[in-house]
Amino acid sequence: MLTTTQEDVLKEMYNVFVGEAASLLSEILQKRIYLSVPEVELIVINDLNDEDRENLIPILNGTILSTSLKFGNVFSGRAEFIFPTEQIKYVTALCLGEEYIMETEESSFSDEDFDVVKEIGNIILNAIMGGMGSLLEMKLDYDVPQVVLHEQGEFSKTFFNTQESNILLLYVNFSVDESEVIGLILIKFSLESIEFLIQKVDEISRDVDE
Amino acid sequence: MNNLYLTIINQLDNGIILLDEQLNIQLWNNWLEKFTGQDERDVKGLKVTQVIPRLNKSLYISMFEKALLNKQKNFCSAAMHEYFVDCEHENTKKLRQNMLVRHIELDNQVYVMLEIHDVTNHYERIRKLNKSLQNSIGFTKSLERFAFYDSLTNLPNRKFIVDRIESLTKQEDARFTLFFLDLNGFKSVNDSFGHTQGDQLLQMVAERCQQLTDEQSVFARLGGDEFVLLVENLSSAEQHDKQIEKIHELLLEPFIIEDQSISITTSIGYACFPQDGVTVKQLLNIADRQMYLHKQKMNNE
């Protein structure tokens, strides 16, 4: 678990990282795009029973589209940027400046929708990875993210069933012009990596206190 | 570079560009030669921004630099960037390309590799598919309209009202009243003015009575000059009388068809669910019989 100070430092850091991503997205799309991280939480999966895991993040129980990448070597883990599928069409319409038509039937996605999500996810995860790399003074190794559509509840089963028990959960407010959509970033760390990250966070808060 | 690898790169069905640390082009594969009409020997050694003007933006240059320095990989979608390299041939379609930006390291040299995927035809197909999908949705909607609405008056038809009644009878605690309307003297309008004018009169009656439709009420045409009004949650006799009065008031003003003033009245009977009947058939029969009694009474008067 994180202390309030650690949470505040992490929140501020990730807000700076996604702020860079927002600038780049604004430049590409020629629109005012804001990204912010209003909440950061560290979850230790091993401390939770099956029922708690299921109810931990309700969004994950629906159908979701995730953009994910593995980062590796010394500092390792997996990062996922997630949108609930009902918001995908809305996000792509917002980004491409198209009219959004609410569909009553289940939406189907085209490659165009996947590509938009892949690029947004890539930009946001790049900013986060780049930021964490600078903070930890190391180059993180990772590839272009993959976009995967997960049927209801499928994601939680695989994501939480793992050796790596520490998950950093970030809520991301994604706003284009006047509209807002909520996404999630989940970063799964190995134990050494999360300890190393928290150590860095503590160093920062000590520097601030002095 | 090893000839075999070069041969493979030149067989690929997408564009491969290799840039050195100064962002000068070191490799420009066959696909690009064919697509752009520019040979590798003409572009080799030139700045990529000179050869591909669309990449001369700070955001792309910063992507290339981050790829060189931080091994950062980037994906640029056609949806958000449209395209990167121009086509030599006159192209009527809007170009669409995805681009992947990667870091490459070989013999202590770092490079940026750009992979260009032309998805123009793919996007064109999606556009056409969407268009045909929209058309088929439109067709389906018109079929649905055809199935549930009366083509003359645009009112809900018999099938619509029967379905609505059936679904209401299955609901717990549902209460509703079915008013059955039959126009008086409609046959003589048809006989003296003709069927076209008769149809016009039905359309005008339908238009006026549309006012009776709201969240709890549906006004539908059963056929000929017969209509029904379904109203939910009426309980007292007083409320029923008020509703009947409202219908009569709506038809009070004469209809003007081809400069002719036509006055029309209606006979109304009603049945309440659940006390008068619990099936569509029972309710329609009772309301119909009540309407008939009302008509006889009017004729006698």
Side-chain angles (χ1 to χ4, degrees):
Chain A
M1 291 298 107
L2 297 169
T3 64
T4 314
T5 310
Q6 288 168 338
E7 249 176 47
D8 287 346
V9 172
L10 276 171
K11 205 189 302 183
E12 194 165 331
M13 264 174 29
Y14 283 109
N15 269 301
V16 172
F17 301 160
V18 298
E20 279 178 34
S23 309
L24 182 55
L25 276 168
S26 303
E27 195 178 345
I28 292 170
L29 296 166
Q30 298 292 300
K31 285 174 183 292
R32 281 183 311 156
I33 292 179
Y34 296 105
L35 291 169
S36 62
V37 178
E39 211 177 314
V40 175
E41 200 182 329
L42 179 68
I43 299 160
V44 183
I45 291 297
N46 293 350
D47 295 352
L48 303 172
N49 62 31
D50 285 351
E51 197 182 336
D52 287 342
R53 284 184 200 190
E54 264 178 40
N55 301 325
L56 190 62
I57 309 162
I59 288 178
L60 299 181
N61 296 336
T63 308
I64 55 164
L65 196 59
S66 77
T67 312
S68 72
L69 58 81
K70 267 178 87 159
F71 53 96
N73 297 349
V74 186
F75 186 81
S76 65
R78 181 174 201 89
E80 305 261 359
F81 176 63
I82 291 161
F83 271 133
T85 46
E86 56 268 27
Q87 300 198 326
I88 301 293
K89 286 275 181 196
Y90 187 49
V91 169
T92 51
L94 279 178
C95 288
L96 304 179
E98 293 167 351
E99 192 187 348
Y100 171 68
I101 300 148
M102 186 92 178
E103 293 177 4
T104 44
E105 288 93 38
E106 183 132 339
S107 301
S108 58
F109 302 107
S110 68
D111 286 4
E112 190 178 12
D113 299 321
F114 280 110
D115 284 350
V116 168
V117 172
K118 183 174 175 175
E119 182 164 6
I120 293 171
N122 185 199
I123 288 168
I124 291 174
L125 293 177
N126 261 343
I128 282 181
M129 289 295 131
M132 288 205 300
S134 312
L135 173 82
L136 305 164
E137 294 156 11
M138 57 171 71
K139 279 182 186 169
L140 299 179
D141 207 1
Y142 56 93
D143 207 339
V144 173
Q146 296 303 311
V147 178
V148 183
L149 182 68
H150 299 270
E151 294 294 338
Q152 289 198 334
E154 207 180 58
F155 178 86
S156 305
K157 268 185 217 155
T158 49
F159 191 78
F160 293 143
N161 193 359
T162 163
Q163 294 287 314
E164 293 149 333
S165 173
N166 303 281
I167 291 169
L168 200 60
L169 163 66
L170 318 169
Y171 282 95
V172 183
N173 278 347
F174 182 97
S175 69
V176 183
D177 295 331
E178 302 303 309
S179 312
E180 197 168 271
V181 176
I182 300 272
L184 281 180
I185 294 176
L186 293 166
I187 310 173
K188 193 157 59 173
F189 293 99
S190 64
L191 186 60
E192 299 81 7
S193 301
I194 194 74
E195 282 173 347
F196 189 36
L197 180 71
I198 289 171
Q199 193 185 315
K200 283 283 173 189
V201 167
D202 288 339
E203 280 173 27
I204 291 171
S205 48
R206 268 201 303 276
D207 291 347
V208 171
D209 290 342
E210 279 164 11
Chain B
M1 200 180 289
N2 184 308
N3 276 343
L4 174 64
Y5 293 149
L6 260 180
T7 308
I8 292 169
I9 287 168
N10 281 323
Q11 291 298 317
L12 291 175
D13 198 20
N14 51 42
I16 302 285
I17 307 166
L18 200 64
L19 309 176
D20 61 18
E21 284 177 275
Q22 284 70 45
L23 305 185
N24 294 329
I25 296 172
Q26 293 306 322
L27 188 142
W28 179 265
N29 76 340
N30 265 9
W31 184 91
L32 282 159
E33 287 190 341
K34 284 183 200 146
F35 191 86
T36 62
Q38 292 177 286
D39 286 346
E40 187 182 41
R41 61 175 179 273
D42 298 331
V43 299
K44 206 166 180 172
L46 295 179
K47 271 252 183 307
V48 69
T49 47
Q50 253 177 287
V51 180
I52 308 174
R54 284 182 69 87
L55 293 179
N56 196 6
K57 280 186 189 167
S58 60
L59 78 100
Y60 297 123
I61 292 165
S62 131
M63 264 182 214
F64 304 154
E65 284 168 352
K66 280 182 177 162
L68 282 167
L69 300 171
N70 308 336
K71 301 185 178 181
Q72 199 173 84
K73 299 170 183 76
N74 264 297
F75 169 73
C76 299
S77 67
M80 276 158 65
H81 301 256
E82 293 191 357
Y83 71 101
F84 306 95
V85 292
D86 278 295
C87 182
E88 179 196 18
H89 307 289
E90 195 58 45
N91 200 327
T92 52
K93 293 174 195 164
K94 278 185 183 172
L95 285 176
R96 288 285 181 267
Q97 292 154 5
N98 290 340
M99 179 171 74
L100 269 162
V101 181
R102 296 170 189 276
H103 166 103
I104 296 242
E105 210 165 323
L106 188 73
D107 302 336
N108 294 326
Q109 287 282 331
V110 287
Y111 301 92
V112 184
M113 184 172 103
L114 309 183
E115 219 177 301
I116 309 275
H117 293 260
D118 185 66
V119 288
T120 305
N121 290 336
H122 189 80
Y123 269 60
E124 187 72 5
R125 270 202 303 276
I126 289 174
R127 199 185 57 75
K128 284 181 178 167
L129 268 172
N130 280 339
K131 204 173 163 184
S132 78
L133 194 67
Q134 290 306 324
N135 290 343
S136 80
I137 288 169
F139 181 67
T140 309
K141 283 202 168 123
S142 69
L143 274 183
E144 275 174 16
R145 202 162 174 85
F146 181 74
F148 290 99
Y149 288 83
D150 171 49
S151 58
L152 177 70
T153 60
N154 276 332
L155 288 175
N157 63 9
R158 178 186 286 269
K159 182 165 173 39
F160 183 108
I161 204 78
V162 165
D163 281 5
R164 174 63 64 94
I165 296 168
E166 276 179 344
S167 77
L168 279 173
T169 54
K170 289 184 187 113
Q171 281 176 27
E172 221 174 302
D173 304 329
R175 302 175 67 89
F176 63 90
T177 306
L178 198 63
F179 293 90
F180 197 110
L181 287 70
D182 183 284
L183 301 181
N184 299 321
F186 179 71
K187 192 177 173 303
S188 63
V189 172
N190 258 346
D191 293 344
S192 39
F193 295 97
H195 284 277
T196 312
Q197 285 73 8
D199 283 351
Q200 253 180 304
L201 177 64
L202 289 173
Q203 285 169 334
M204 287 173 156
V205 168
E207 201 176 332
R208 269 194 211 176
C209 293
Q210 284 275 37
Q211 295 175 44
L212 299 166
T213 297
D214 59 27
E215 274 177 25
Q216 296 221 307
S217 318
V218 182
F219 187 72
R221 183 181 176 215
L222 280 187
D225 59 341
E226 290 179 339
F227 299 87
V228 290
L229 172 68
L230 186 152
V231 187
E232 289 177 59
N233 301 322
L234 289 182
S235 45
S236 66
E238 194 185 335
Q239 283 177 315
H240 285 95
D241 290 342
K242 253 191 182 162
Q243 187 68 64
I244 290 170
E245 205 176 312
K246 197 174 170 183
I247 299 168
H248 287 312
E249 271 173 20
L250 277 175
L251 299 176
L252 210 55
E253 198 182 318
F255 294 90
I256 310 294
I257 296 173
E258 292 175 9
D259 299 332
Q260 299 273 354
S261 169
I262 300 170
S263 292
I264 197 109
T265 57
T266 178
S267 303
I268 305 170
Y270 67 85
C272 303
F273 175 86
Q275 52 270 51
D276 294 332
V278 288
T279 66
V280 178
K281 200 174 171 185
Q282 286 169 347
L283 291 162
L284 276 170
N285 281 344
I286 297 221
D288 187 12
R289 202 169 61 230
Q290 296 290 344
M291 182 278 298
Y292 180 72
L293 292 172
H294 182 220
K295 198 181 275 285
Q296 273 194 319
K297 196 175 152 194
M298 282 175 86
N299 289 341
N300 295 337
E301 284 168 1

